[in-house]
Amino acid sequence: MPFTIQDFLKKKKEGRKITMLTAYDYPSARIVDEAGLDAILVGDSLGMVVQGLENTLPVTMDEMIYHTKMVARAVKNAMVIGDMPFMSYQVSLPEAVQNAGRFLKEAGASAVKMEGGAEVAEHIRALTKSDIPVMAHIGLTPQSVHRIGGYKVQGKTEQAAKKLIEDAHIIEDAGAFSLLLEAIPMNLAKRITEELSIPTIGIGAGPHCDGQILVLHDVIGLFERFVPKFVKQYANMKDDILKSVKLYREEIEKGIFPSEEQSFK
Ligand code: KIV
């Protein structure tokens, strides 16, 4: 039975950590699922780590649906969450419901994630009323990169921290089933986690959240443009792949591959 939003809440109540990673295609989603992660986010970070874009803003709904379908096809146990891209929900509530609905109806996701605090409370309400579970996302929200002025830690001043705490409560009241906290001080994340009854999922938010997410390409060392401070790399796939591909080229050039072993008689 795949992981559900009820399992999110159950894990928080039982004090067990919720484990999440991103994935964007069939082979990587199969691996993440096989490794036993609770949920997979098909993040709009795919714009940067897969498409090579400067930021996530140009990613379209159709692209998100395309990637989410591949991930959902691969997964047996993890919950698949589709990320609402920039301008897929900001314009109007009906558009937000229609676009979020596509993740469940066309792509096989079980929930969506949406960036924003109090300003998207009505959106969360509208989606939840339409049976579309919502994971909210506050702190560093990459779709606001131009307003924020870069990818900076949020909630550092007393006023900014107060606003994030207020946002967290508004989001919970609006019906979100969980809240992603990105790049905020760990004590602030701890306070929000303790005050909310829905689980918090941290990325750059310290060890006290109810769960954790990172971008897969960061974890396996496949995105080299920059590595945020909050990332822990568990492998260096860029080097491993480069070594294999170089060896392949060299063996062709030297006449080592293909040999009789890889040939038909
Ligand atoms: O788009 C994404 O992958 C995200 C994660 C960084 C949480 O929002």
Side-chain angles (χ1 to χ4, degrees):
M1 175 72 188
F3 203 76
T4 63
I5 63 170
Q6 287 74 23
D7 295 321
F8 263 80
L9 294 169
K10 190 163 178 267
K11 273 201 144 181
K12 175 167 179 129
K13 277 196 191 129
E14 292 171 355
R16 292 188 294 138
K17 293 281 185 185
I18 298 159
T19 57
M20 289 187 64
L21 261 178
T22 66
Y24 315 106
D25 60 20
Y26 183 85
S28 61
R30 270 186 76 118
I31 294 168
V32 173
D33 191 46
E34 194 181 323
L37 279 283
D38 293 323
I40 295 180
L41 173 70
V42 187
D44 65 353
S45 51
L46 66 86
M48 295 170 80
V49 302
V50 175
Q51 298 178 333
L53 297 167
E54 267 308 299
N55 57 50
T56 59
L57 303 192
V59 176
T60 67
M61 254 323 283
D62 285 344
E63 287 165 349
M64 292 305 302
I65 295 294
Y66 172 75
H67 285 276
T68 307
K69 276 184 181 174
M70 289 189 267
V71 168
R73 220 173 275 146
V75 163
K76 288 199 174 72
N77 298 308
M79 178 173 167
V80 176
I81 302 171
D83 205 5
M84 299 285 286
F86 184 57
M87 283 300 132
S88 67
Y89 55 97
Q90 290 89 341
V91 177
S92 71
L93 291 185
E95 229 174 272
V97 175
Q98 206 144 32
N99 281 323
R102 288 188 66 193
F103 278 106
L104 276 65
K105 199 175 168 72
E106 290 175 41
S110 310
V112 299
K113 178 174 83 58
M114 192 191 287
E115 293 185 13
E119 67 279 9
V120 296
E122 282 313 310
H123 302 68
I124 294 170
R125 229 170 242 121
L127 265 56
T128 309
K129 254 197 238 163
S130 306
D131 286 337
I132 304 169
V134 182
M135 173 180 280
H137 178 168
I138 59 171
L140 171 55
T141 46
Q143 291 174 18
S144 321
V145 61
H146 296 306
R147 175 174 54 79
I148 294 171
Y151 298 107
K152 299 172 187 165
V153 178
Q154 301 296 302
K156 282 174 81 169
T157 65
E158 202 176 310
Q159 197 188 0
K162 191 166 166 266
K163 165 87 171 80
L164 285 173
I165 294 166
E166 280 167 12
D167 277 346
H169 283 283
I170 290 169
I171 283 163
E172 171 162 283
D173 292 345
F177 74 90
S178 64
L179 172 61
L180 194 145
L181 300 172
E182 179 163 353
I184 65 170
M186 62 179 195
N187 285 337
L188 175 58
K190 182 172 188 277
R191 174 155 175 205
I192 293 173
T193 300
E194 285 167 358
E195 287 189 13
L196 294 194
S197 51
I198 58 171
T200 58
I201 307 295
I203 175 165
H208 304 295
C209 294
D210 299 304
Q212 176 65 44
I213 184 167
L214 282 178
V215 167
L216 175 67
H217 290 55
D218 288 334
V219 170
I220 62 173
L222 204 49
F223 182 65
E224 50 181 355
R225 221 160 68 209
F226 63 89
V227 182
K229 174 183 159 62
F230 56 72
V231 166
K232 183 167 175 183
Q233 279 190 328
Y234 289 82
N236 191 335
M237 292 302 290
K238 152 85 200 295
D239 282 1
D240 290 349
I241 294 172
L242 186 62
K243 254 187 245 157
S244 318
V245 175
K246 273 187 179 166
L247 188 59
Y248 168 73
R249 176 179 59 75
E250 282 164 18
E251 290 203 350
I252 297 172
E253 287 169 352
K254 290 177 185 160
I256 298 171
F257 175 83
S259 69
E260 276 195 17
E261 202 187 323
Q262 289 93 26
S263 304
F264 300 105
K265 292 229 168 95

